[in-house]
Amino acid sequence: MDIVHVGFGYGTEALDGRVRAVSAYARGLAARGHNVTLVTLSKTLPSSESIGLDYGIREVALRTPALPLHLGAEAEAFFSGPAGAADVYHFHSSAARHCLAARRLSAPYVVTPHGAYLPANLNHRRAWNLAFRLLLGRAYLTGAAAVHAIAAIEGAALERYGRPRRLAVIPNPIDLQPPLTSDERATARQSLGLAPADLLLLFLGRLAVWTSGAKGSTSSSKASGGRSLRQGAAASI
């Protein structure tokens, strides 16, 4: 099959969990023989196209206008023309540009909001979120062949807001890596400035600064002379 993923870039080591999840999907499908294209709609990246050495995944970046409700000529041409033709599309957000791109398609599409419909995110900028979902989001969800929630609580919210034709609750994939050797572990700890007796505190999850107070916590940690928080450290370090 020809499959197009529309997300926020490609990278198995990216700090953004959405990018890591999309990359895992793309690699898994490509390894099974599918033709996979990963499209990034960006206000800052220049338009480009390349074939990655990693599983032969086609990577396309399309420059979009700064205005949030405009898709731009390049993206319009891609999604409505032969360059972006596919058997199925998979959108990995509820961003306005993704909603607009889905309207140009003649093939079925799947939506994974990646936590956008979790209660904490729905309550942030509540009036804006409600207006957006009434104008664009609801049609985006109901028009999808399937909607994928990463947690049951998000699935319940999606049922209320969009009434999708088909809803599946499946946690994000985990790309398991071989455990570090003792030498690799020592090198990794040294790169983080950790002494042999130092303990490394890891957080697995999502920090929403408007609900958790994480912004104040990180600032306080730095002001008190504690070690700065580092993202992406391996759990085995």
Side-chain angles (χ1 to χ4, degrees):
M1 292 181 67
D2 292 324
I3 302 171
V4 172
H5 286 277
V6 186
F8 298 92
Y10 178 79
T12 56
E13 301 298 325
L15 296 181
D16 190 323
R18 297 170 302 177
V19 175
R20 294 176 73 109
V22 175
S23 301
Y25 291 132
R27 291 177 61 183
L29 290 168
R32 287 163 176 76
H34 297 289
N35 298 318
V36 179
T37 297
L38 201 156
V39 177
T40 301
L41 303 180
S42 173
K43 295 179 291 184
T44 56
L45 292 175
S47 296
S48 64
E49 181 175 337
S50 63
I51 303 296
L53 297 177
D54 190 5
Y55 294 92
I57 295 170
R58 176 186 174 212
E59 300 174 46
V60 176
L62 297 171
R63 186 74 175 266
T64 57
L67 295 175
L69 297 180
H70 289 270
L71 193 57
E74 289 187 356
E76 289 267 9
F78 180 89
F79 287 106
S80 60
D87 297 307
V88 64
Y89 299 79
H90 193 159
F91 291 89
H92 291 272
S93 88
S94 60
R97 290 176 180 83
H98 291 188
C99 298
L100 295 173
R103 293 183 173 186
R104 274 66 178 175
L105 303 179
S106 57
Y109 67 90
V110 177
V111 174
T112 302
H114 286 284
Y117 284 82
L118 292 173
N121 295 325
L122 290 175
N123 291 330
H124 177 58
R125 299 175 65 190
R126 190 177 183 86
W128 163 257
N129 282 332
L130 180 60
F132 169 78
R133 286 178 171 84
L134 288 175
L135 292 172
L136 286 176
R138 183 165 291 173
Y140 178 53
L141 295 174
T142 56
V147 176
H148 163 216
I150 60 174
I153 190 171
E154 183 181 41
L158 285 163
E159 288 279 17
R160 292 194 303 272
Y161 275 88
R163 297 186 178 89
R165 287 183 278 175
R166 181 181 179 188
L167 176 70
V169 178
I170 308 170
N172 273 333
I174 299 176
D175 190 8
L176 296 177
Q177 299 292 329
L180 297 179
T181 65
S182 57
D183 289 341
E184 289 173 334
R185 182 174 182 271
T187 301
R189 288 180 61 87
Q190 185 177 18
S191 69
L192 294 172
L194 296 171
D198 285 347
L199 295 177
L200 178 63
L201 177 65
L202 299 178
F203 172 79
L204 179 63
R206 179 174 182 170
L207 291 174
V209 296
W210 54 86
T211 58
S212 65
K215 185 175 182 180
S217 300
T218 54
S219 299
S220 299
S221 173
K222 293 178 181 179
S224 63
R227 291 186 186 274
S228 61
L229 300 178
R230 298 174 185 265
Q231 295 176 303
S236 55
I237 294 177

